[in-house]
Amino acid sequence: LLPDDTAKATQPLQDARAFANRSGEVELQLRCFHSATELHRHLGDLPQSIAEGEAGILLADTCGFGWSSIDLRLALAETYLAAGDPHKALQNARNALDRSEAPDCQYAWGKADGLHFCGLAHLRLGEHELARQRLTAALEIRERLGHGRIEETRRALEQCRPK
């Protein structure tokens, strides 16, 4: 995504999309939807980020790409949090968490991130005990995985502690 220069990120994404659409490569199309969701969120274009996430979820679900569906739901949950809609964030994070925990899936990264975003949504809704429970579970899994966003979970947990 070239986070230091988002203007430069747009062209590679357009090029990847053009190739993915020409080739019919669904996995690459899904990666483009995920990247576009994150890029538009980073740029502050939250309506476009939501549209990209929803379109990607539709393709992932239609074509049976379970992990992509989970990852897109998590990206969409993060966008809804940025947009100030913790209810929709919780709905997407919970769906991703449930899918990640399904016996035929067992996607640890999806579970860790699902718990994290559920915790953040509960925190925004003022449900501090639920937030603490979800974030504590997320932290345990993220630490075990060596997840790159462990510190975000730790900072969120600090907000759950009585002051």
Side-chain angles (χ1 to χ4, degrees), residues 4-163:
D4 296 331
D5 190 348
T6 53
K8 283 185 180 177
T10 303
Q11 189 59 51
L13 178 58
Q14 289 173 349
D15 294 343
R17 274 204 152 135
F19 175 79
N21 291 336
R22 279 193 316 273
S23 70
E25 178 62 41
V26 175
E27 186 175 354
L28 183 55
Q29 290 173 7
L30 291 168
R31 288 177 186 228
C32 289
F33 277 116
H34 190 267
S35 293
T37 301
E38 291 187 354
L39 176 63
H40 289 290
R41 182 179 59 247
H42 187 74
L43 293 173
D45 186 353
L46 302 180
Q48 186 61 37
S49 178
I50 290 167
E52 295 284 356
E54 289 175 346
I57 289 168
L58 180 61
L59 179 63
D61 288 351
T62 300
C63 295
F65 283 75
W67 283 14
S68 292
S69 179
I70 291 166
D71 288 340
L72 283 158
R73 280 179 166 79
L74 293 166
L76 192 54
E78 190 168 9
T79 298
Y80 276 123
L81 285 169
D85 192 338
H87 291 285
K88 286 189 179 176
L90 182 58
Q91 178 183 5
N92 279 279
R94 185 72 231 184
N95 190 304
L97 177 59
D98 290 345
R99 289 169 180 259
S100 295
E101 293 179 319
D104 63 340
C105 184
Q106 296 299 305
Y107 181 26
W109 289 82
K111 183 175 179 180
D113 291 347
L115 285 163
H116 174 82
F117 290 118
C118 281
L120 291 180
H122 285 301
L123 191 59
R124 300 259 175 97
L125 292 167
E127 300 165 342
H128 294 278
E129 181 56 27
L130 284 172
R132 187 191 61 72
Q133 291 171 11
R134 303 301 181 269
L135 290 166
T136 299
L139 182 61
E140 179 182 314
I141 297 169
R142 281 182 162 189
E143 286 176 338
R144 190 172 62 238
L145 293 172
H147 196 290
R149 296 175 74 177
I150 294 170
E151 289 307 314
E152 290 177 34
T153 305
R154 285 189 180 122
R155 284 192 301 273
L157 254 173
E158 286 299 315
Q159 295 177 39
C160 297
R161 300 204 196 299
K163 303 199 176 186

